[in-house]
Amino acid sequence: MKFHNLYSFFLKSTTLLIGGVVLLPLTSCKSTVSTKDQIQIWLTKGDESVKLEQQLPLVFVKTSNNIQNIDIDDSQKFQYVDGFGYTLTGGSVEVINRLSRSKRKALLNELFGKDKNSISISYLRLSIGASDLDSEVFSYDDLPEGQTDPSLSKFSLTRDKDLISMLKEILTINPKIKIIAAPWSAPVWMKDNGKSKGGSLKPEFYDVYAKYFVKYIQGMQKEGITIDAITPQNEPLHPGNNPSLYMPSDQQKDFIKKSLGPIFKSNTIKTKIVVYDHNCNKPEYVTNILGDSEASKYINGSAFHLYEGEISALGTVHAAFPNKNLYFTEQWTGAKGTFNEDLNWHTKNVVIGSMRNWSKIALEWNLANDPQYKPHTDGGCTECKGAITVSDSENFTRNVAYYIIAHASKFIPADSRRIASTQTDNLSTAAFITPAGKRILVVQNGAKNEETFNIKYNGKTATVNLSGNSVATYVF
């Protein structure tokens, strides 16, 4: 039965049995059910048979049963949310620009707009210079070998002109979108190995590199693009990427407290400084820096990825430094992954896990690439699968990362606040209250089989069935 026919049948019937749960049709109880008692549902199944499809609504009732509960308590409030999204790599811009004008416009509106069919991305990450998912390596001050430019007289954002143009277009769709930016490498002439891959920042260029950040932030601001936050280095403990730079904790601490922080202050730069931007297996990298009072006074918080370690590391850092913010900035879905495995692992860890551990954002990795997982640099990631695959000028595919983020971004706008929600052995949950007063509950069923549970809120109950290995967002 097609959705619209099933929905019509639902409205005309007195009762409806779905998945073993009896639902009350809204028309049969107009006198007793207000809109505040309705629950809207969007579902994605790991078997790909349903992808972000709206289901029939439920209603809260004041009866009880012996089924397991997910309790929602909006009297317990936690962190405010800045948003959900992706990294807009240079490669993402390149492939999106291959679409025809009409397809490109439609895609950008779907990604960033507020329409019924939009997923309303509210946060983006950028690379300062090239990431490994650009066509080639570059910085904003590249020079012939052996030359230096301590005055940064050759600094230019020209290599990012297409990215800047797309950002301006995105800002017309969502003027409030927030941006965090990170370099993959300093210009090679600032590095002790003189190469784009690996090496460390020479101490004599700490001040120059800090001014490089200032020029980037000011240059983007002149284009009408506000950089809300930066990290000093993407994955500072991974010098094997191209480009990359090795910046251990003590070096980052010294760079911030001696150069980046003071130079931001002297130039009245309001952009937040966020440390680390690497895996959850090394929270001590962060606590070492935040434990230094001179460095800490310039720092807003810390950023994490989850290629190693446990997502609870964010909670560990929060417990040690509760006045500092947390940001989950990257996780990639790969060419060899399955929709089912990635949907469930990423929703449980990247979206729900990061939020339950005090993160203000949850970002998947690259927004878009082509069917061969290009473009990328020589030595960059060859298996990173974008949220969108652009195959030609008229066709693109929505991949699993699209749905992972959409289950949050579509329903949880910036300035929403996480509230308390319980979990069970198989059901992972995160709940929020939006600025408009809606309650949002994201649930991931990690079991192979269907789980039946109650959503309990404010003395009312709604009994729900959720398919095995599926994700649902409930709005009430």
Side-chain angles (χ1 to χ4, degrees):
M1 186 180 290
K2 290 187 179 296
F3 177 82
H4 67 276
N5 291 331
L6 179 60
Y7 191 75
S8 298
F9 173 74
F10 171 72
L11 293 176
K12 292 174 183 176
S13 302
T14 55
T15 59
L16 182 65
L17 185 69
I18 295 182
V21 177
V22 177
L23 310 181
L24 295 176
L26 303 182
T27 54
S28 71
C29 47
K30 284 183 178 177
S31 61
T32 59
V33 179
S34 67
T35 55
K36 69 180 182 180
D37 289 324
Q38 296 177 21
I39 304 176
Q40 306 298 320
I41 307 165
W42 279 260
L43 175 68
T44 299
K45 294 185 178 182
D47 65 8
E48 301 190 66
S49 61
V50 177
K51 293 180 177 178
L52 198 66
E53 293 181 16
Q54 188 169 5
Q55 307 299 294
L56 296 173
L58 300 177
V59 294
F60 279 113
V61 295
K62 292 190 175 181
T63 59
S64 61
N65 56 48
N66 294 322
I67 299 170
Q68 61 184 342
N69 297 320
I70 300 298
D71 292 290
I72 311 300
D73 181 2
D74 57 13
S75 70
Q76 295 185 59
K77 295 181 172 68
F78 304 96
Q79 78 275 22
Y80 285 95
V81 174
D82 279 353
F84 300 88
Y86 307 91
T87 299
L88 184 66
T89 60
S92 297
V93 172
E94 184 178 324
V95 297
I96 291 172
N97 281 341
R98 294 174 190 169
L99 291 168
S100 66
R101 185 173 181 178
S102 62
K103 286 287 185 181
R104 180 181 177 282
K105 181 178 180 180
L107 175 58
L108 291 179
N109 193 66
E110 178 181 331
L111 294 172
F112 300 100
K114 302 288 187 183
D115 296 346
K116 179 181 177 181
N117 294 322
S118 297
I119 65 168
S120 305
I121 294 167
S122 49
Y123 207 101
L124 284 174
R125 184 174 181 234
L126 306 178
S127 62
I128 298 175
S131 77
D132 61 307
L133 294 190
D134 279 80
S135 295
E136 56 187 7
V137 174
F138 67 88
S139 77
Y140 302 128
D141 200 329
D142 289 329
L143 303 171
E145 187 174 354
Q147 293 186 18
T148 63
D149 181 23
S151 67
L152 298 175
S153 61
K154 304 286 177 48
F155 182 96
S156 172
L157 295 176
T158 301
R159 294 292 295 270
D160 267 343
K161 65 181 186 303
D162 290 341
L163 181 141
I164 289 168
S165 178
M166 184 171 289
L167 282 171
K168 289 179 179 179
E169 193 170 350
I170 290 167
L171 284 164
T172 66
I173 300 169
N174 179 5
K176 295 183 178 180
I177 199 162
K178 286 190 174 181
I179 296 169
I180 189 169
W184 266 237
S185 174
V188 297
W189 53 268
M190 297 186 191
K191 300 170 69 175
D192 58 13
N193 69 346
K195 300 179 186 301
S196 61
K197 181 177 176 179
S200 293
L201 184 66
K202 290 182 177 181
E204 60 262 36
F205 287 122
Y206 277 15
D207 282 359
V208 178
Y209 196 37
K211 292 172 185 176
Y212 181 92
F213 281 89
V214 170
K215 278 187 168 288
Y216 170 74
I217 292 163
Q218 291 175 338
M220 294 294 271
Q221 192 63 61
K222 286 178 182 178
E223 299 287 353
I225 299 163
T226 299
I227 304 301
D228 184 67
I230 59 92
T231 66
Q233 175 59 36
N234 169 69
E235 298 192 342
L237 300 179
H238 175 34
N241 204 354
N242 188 25
S244 59
L245 180 143
Y246 181 62
M247 183 182 278
S249 182
D250 282 343
Q251 285 185 17
Q252 189 162 122
K253 177 175 63 180
D254 288 346
F255 175 57
I256 291 169
K257 74 177 182 180
K258 294 177 180 178
S259 297
L260 190 64
I263 286 171
F264 269 28
K265 184 177 180 180
S266 66
N267 284 274
T268 322
I269 298 295
K270 302 299 185 185
T271 299
K272 303 176 183 76
I273 297 173
V274 177
V275 300
Y276 192 40
D277 211 358
H278 207 171
N279 287 327
C280 288
N281 64 329
K282 299 286 186 183
E284 64 271 17
Y285 187 111
V286 174
T287 55
N288 173 53
I289 298 174
L290 295 182
D292 185 296
S293 59
E294 279 301 301
S296 183
K297 67 183 181 182
Y298 298 114
I299 295 166
N300 175 271
S302 54
F304 286 85
H305 308 171
L306 189 54
Y307 304 112
E308 292 184 85
E310 301 293 334
I311 194 66
S312 58
L314 280 70
T316 299
V317 173
H318 173 79
F321 298 95
N323 62 326
K324 298 298 185 181
N325 290 316
L326 288 146
Y327 301 84
F328 191 91
T329 48
E330 179 188 318
Q331 197 72 20
W332 65 281
T333 53
K336 296 174 183 175
T338 69
F339 188 97
N340 179 53
E341 290 171 344
D342 286 340
L343 173 72
N344 284 280
W345 189 92
H346 285 247
T347 303
K348 179 177 182 176
N349 290 283
V350 173
V351 176
I352 293 172
S354 73
M355 290 293 122
R356 292 187 73 93
N357 283 280
W358 296 92
S359 184
K360 294 178 71 66
I361 65 173
L363 307 182
E364 287 282 302
W365 176 211
N366 56 315
L367 179 57
N369 52 13
D370 72 14
Q372 287 75 45
Y373 311 106
K374 295 179 179 179
H376 57 76
T377 63
D378 181 12
C381 182
T382 60
E383 296 183 356
C384 290
K385 180 191 292 184
I388 300 293
T389 298
V390 176
S391 50
D392 56 49
S393 64
E394 296 300 320
N395 294 285
F396 61 83
T397 305
R398 300 165 188 85
N399 299 320
V400 64
Y402 174 98
Y403 298 101
I404 293 163
I405 291 299
H407 265 280
S409 62
K410 185 174 177 68
F411 311 101
I412 307 165
D415 300 321
S416 296
R417 194 171 187 183
R418 184 170 68 88
I419 57 177
S421 61
T422 59
Q423 304 194 101
T424 72
D425 289 343
N426 293 325
L427 300 172
S428 298
T429 75
F432 307 83
I433 183 168
T434 72
K438 291 282 188 182
R439 277 72 181 171
I440 313 296
L441 174 66
V442 182
V443 182
Q444 180 261 341
N445 179 8
K448 292 182 179 180
N449 299 319
E450 181 179 83
E451 290 272 324
T452 301
F453 60 96
N454 298 316
I455 299 174
K456 295 197 73 175
Y457 170 70
N458 200 24
K460 297 175 291 186
T461 299
T463 304
V464 179
N465 287 345
L466 180 57
S467 305
N469 293 323
S470 294
V471 174
T473 302
Y474 304 90
V475 181
F476 53 94

